[in-house]
Amino acid sequence: EGGPSKNHEHTKALMYGDPELWHDLCARLAQISGAFLDVQAAAGASAVQLFDSWVGALPRADYERFVAPHSTFALAAVAGRGIPTIHFGVGTGELLASMGAVGADVVGVDYRVSLTDALARLDGSYAVQGNLDPALLFAPWEALEAKVRSIVEEGRAAPGHIFNLGHGVHQETPVENVKALVDIVHELVVGQRVAGQQCDLTLHFEWGAAALHPSMRDLEEPAADPRTRLTPLRLALLGAACLIAAPFACLYAGVAA
């Protein structure tokens, strides 16, 4: 497309108009992406995430035909590493089961679909990640806290739940609200562990084209700009590096919080 796109006209024109070229291109990108994931795993990443940022623009049948085989190949590169794989996409409520089937252990859910609905679509077969609306970080604390508690409660029904935002943090998000979010999730995680359940926390921060998955330690005592605290090595470990896995899809390999 040459830049951000709402309709992906050129991408879809290639995909539908020349399927052979499309699959050849995606096969090459999937091979590179799989190698990238494997390097991240070998370097010590405790989880990897494949983020497909445009695939929500496709019907399920087209996803399974044109995209899923290549995502399967990329994730297969770390199948023997013994670490969890997460697959996330934006606007993918109708694709959740198909996205899990490509080889993910955890399916990311954006804020447009409740975890309850997502679990029903996944038939309870996958752990889930998500899914607070980033816009709620601008809301009064009472509204934010109520939604966080609701999401954590819904997550109790899943085989596993990684609390996360349903997409990236907006640039103008009040830092104090992010800190308060971390605190309340910590409080709720302790309650879940007492009850014999597991809940891990990771937050997806996005500035422009870069995305970070900082540890909770980083979030508890942030610098004025969290980006200034990340060395190149930490960027590699935390997954700031991203690589195109399919047109407009990014891979993030991050250390679990």
Side-chain angles (χ1 to χ4, degrees):
E1 301 295 332
S5 174
K6 293 183 178 180
N7 300 313
H8 309 289
E9 296 95 335
H10 300 297
T11 304
K12 290 184 176 182
L14 172 63
M15 184 179 74
Y16 292 121
D18 195 341
E20 183 177 357
L21 177 59
W22 170 269
H23 284 296
D24 183 60
L25 172 62
C26 288
R28 294 170 186 266
L29 293 172
Q31 183 178 19
I32 295 168
S33 299
F36 174 80
L37 280 179
D38 192 52
V39 167
Q40 295 300 304
S46 55
V48 291
Q49 175 170 282
L50 175 64
F51 177 18
D52 201 330
S53 60
W54 84 288
V55 77
L58 295 180
R60 183 170 180 173
D62 290 342
Y63 168 77
E64 293 177 348
R65 175 185 176 189
F66 291 108
V67 178
H70 307 292
S71 297
T72 299
F73 186 93
L75 289 173
V78 291
R81 288 290 184 180
I83 60 173
T85 55
I86 307 166
H87 198 11
F88 174 67
V90 179
T92 55
E94 298 303 317
L95 306 178
L96 293 175
S98 297
M99 292 179 70
V102 302
D105 301 303
V106 183
V107 177
V109 183
D110 76 8
Y111 60 89
R112 297 170 181 85
V113 180
S114 71
L115 291 186
T116 298
D117 288 344
L119 289 169
R121 297 176 190 184
L122 292 166
D123 197 28
S125 300
Y126 301 91
V128 292
Q129 174 179 279
N131 67 333
L132 181 71
D133 185 343
L136 273 165
L137 288 170
F138 293 86
W141 172 246
E142 292 77 12
L144 174 58
E145 180 183 11
K147 188 61 175 178
V148 171
R149 290 182 179 276
S150 174
I151 291 171
V152 171
E153 185 62 30
E154 287 185 275
R156 295 180 191 274
H161 177 209
I162 302 173
F163 185 94
N164 199 353
L165 300 185
H167 202 221
V169 174
H170 303 307
Q171 292 186 10
E172 303 303 321
T173 299
V175 174
E176 60 271 18
N177 288 1
V178 178
K179 294 172 65 178
L181 171 64
V182 172
D183 289 340
I184 187 64
V185 174
H186 280 181
E187 174 187 321
L188 295 171
V189 166
V190 170
Q192 283 196 334
R193 286 175 177 163
V194 169
Q197 295 185 354
Q198 177 70 28
C199 179
D200 296 321
L201 170 67
T202 180
L203 290 177
H204 175 186
F205 277 73
E206 186 168 334
W207 293 278
L212 311 178
H213 290 250
S215 67
M216 291 186 292
R217 195 178 309 116
D218 290 322
L219 286 171
E220 288 169 348
E221 298 180 1
D225 183 344
R227 288 172 291 183
T228 64
R229 304 185 62 207
L230 297 174
T231 65
L233 176 58
R234 292 178 70 195
L235 287 175
L237 293 176
L238 296 175
C242 69
L243 184 68
I244 294 177
F248 310 105
C250 288
L251 278 170
Y252 302 100
V255 176

